Amino acid sequence: MKKVIVKSQIATAEILLERMARIGMEFLPVVWQHERIYVPRGFRSGMNQPRIGLRTEVKVANQPAEYILYLKRHIEDSGVDFVFSTPVKKYTEATGIIHQLGFGKLAEISRQRRTMWLDENTLVQLDEVEGLDGAFVKIEAELQEGEPVNALRQELLLTLKTLQLETMLVQTYGEMINSNLIQPYYIP
């Protein structure tokens, strides 16, 4: 699946929760997620290389965790992310397969995530990430066949501005955690 993704940071999750409530929109309940992000040997950021994630997700405290394996590849020159995912029954075996394919662990990310669908193709995620200050708003939209990437990106950036968010982040959570540095860019 092809996606266009934009992300911004806010001081607290409550700020966005209040803004959305004022216009009659509500996030789904909090889901706890823990991800291990794997990259190929010799990985260099910005080189269009794939990342594999193995996510543990707990939706309800007294229910068993779900495991999801996903592949994500960001194509720098187009700004499109290719994302594929599948449920996993055996976490340990999936980890072994990832290592046998020559991938090594880049980062571990724990977060509390709330989601809300703006429409059938656009998802807003509100993340509170362990080890990072504030909260993060991530909007991802599926790129439809023949749809111009730049037009969709501008639409998502306009949505960020509508939510009173003035900056955009291009770093992944793993990069932010590993570097201890967040580099925001002002939305034009």
Side-chain angles (χ1 to χ4, degrees), residues 75 86-87 141 185:
I75 308 301
T86 189
Y185 297 94

Side-chain angles (χ1 to χ4, degrees), residues 92-111:
T92 304
E93 282 80 358
T95 302
I97 291 169
I98 292 168
H99 286 285
Q100 287 297 315
L101 289 171
F103 283 73
K105 187 169 65 171
L106 174 71
E108 289 198 41
I109 299 150
S110 291
R111 66 175 161 244

Side-chain angles (χ1 to χ4, degrees), residues 109-169:
I109 299 150
S110 291
R111 66 175 161 244
Q112 292 183 23
R113 173 171 278 177
R114 296 173 177 97
T115 59
M116 171 194 323
W117 288 95
L118 291 182
D119 60 39
E120 63 276 355
N121 296 318
T122 309
L123 179 67
V124 177
Q125 300 167 336
L126 178 58
D127 293 334
E128 294 178 274
V129 180
E130 193 176 297
L132 296 176
D133 292 333
F136 298 87
V137 179
K138 188 173 169 184
I139 305 174
E140 52 184 59
E142 185 177 344
L143 184 65
Q144 302 301 307
E145 191 64 39
E147 184 176 15
V149 175
N150 287 337
L152 181 55
R153 179 175 305 292
Q154 289 306 314
E155 186 179 316
L156 297 182
L157 291 173
L158 181 59
T159 302
L160 283 178
K161 279 191 160 190
T162 301
L163 296 173
Q164 301 171 4
L165 301 168
E166 299 294 325
T167 60
M168 177 181 80
L169 301 170

Side-chain angles (χ1 to χ4, degrees), residues 11 18 23 25 31 52 57-58 66-67 88 106 122 124 134 138-140 142 149 152 164 179:
E18 289 173 13
I23 59 172
M25 298 188 82
V31 172
I52 293 177
E57 190 170 274
V58 178
E66 294 177 19
Y67 305 111
V88 170
L106 174 71
T122 309
V124 177
K138 188 173 169 184
I139 305 174
E140 52 184 59
E142 185 177 344
V149 175
L152 181 55
Q164 301 171 4
S179 70

